[in-house]
Amino acid sequence: AVASAMTACDRPAALEKLQALLDLLEIGDPDAGQGVDALSACCGGQFEAQLKELRDCVDEFDFDKASEILESLKAEWQRG
């Protein structure tokens, strides 16, 4: 069966991808955009606004702001 675009967020996988992306941002890795794609794929269409803002920041190489967005998502997911 094909998963719908609105499947539930796979939080354990998403947290793993989020941490990997934080590591890429910390070292200024230009492949961070691939990390955003991997994270988005785990989110099943949820958190679109945050992920779009994250994508914009990474595309503009604003890794500090991107890290702030990720830390916010991480805190929200760990609470939820």
Side-chain angles (χ1 to χ4, degrees), residues 20-75:
L21 180 52
L22 275 172
D23 293 344
L24 290 175
L25 294 172
E26 188 173 315
I27 63 170
D29 193 311
D31 290 332
Q34 294 174 356
V36 177
D37 295 339
L39 178 59
S40 295
C42 292
C43 289
Q46 297 181 12
F47 309 104
E48 283 185 27
Q50 293 102 317
L51 292 170
K52 181 188 181 317
E53 185 180 4
L54 176 63
R55 163 61 71 193
D56 291 345
C57 289
V58 169
D59 287 349
E60 295 166 9
F61 297 99
D62 186 352
F63 290 172
D64 290 337
K65 177 67 175 167
S67 293
E68 290 174 20
I69 295 166
L70 286 173
E71 291 293 353
S72 175
L73 277 173
K74 184 177 178 180

